[in-house]
Amino acid sequence: MPRIRTRTLTTTIGTLVVNVDLSVPLDEEQFADIQAALLKHQVIFFDNPRLTPVQHRDFAA
């Protein structure tokens, strides 16, 4: 799977995560990239995730 990309939203907090399909399980590298983005930017948003309620639950777990 391709690596994620992020787009910083402000100079102090928040980033937009793009280039990731949240409807399928993430590989270890993608998970680590998302975790690093969350730690660095404190708030992350996903670009158009298109998740069913079950997929959303599974991703959150």
Side-chain angles (χ1 to χ4, degrees):
M1 294 186 155
R3 291 191 68 128
I4 69 162
R5 290 181 295 136
T6 60
R7 187 175 329 137
T8 302
L9 299 175
T10 71
T11 57
T12 56
I13 194 169
T15 194
L16 177 67
V17 176
V18 296
N19 200 38
V20 63
D21 182 0
L22 299 179
S23 67
V24 297
L26 301 173
D27 63 29
E28 290 181 21
E29 186 175 27
Q30 288 175 316
F31 182 85
D33 289 346
I34 290 171
Q35 186 176 36
L38 179 59
L39 293 173
K40 180 178 179 181
H41 300 282
Q42 301 172 338
V43 176
I44 55 177
F45 301 93
F46 294 95
D47 184 33
N48 202 13
R50 297 183 191 152
L51 296 174
T52 67
V54 171
Q55 290 168 326
H56 193 172
R57 180 206 62 206
D58 293 345
F59 171 71

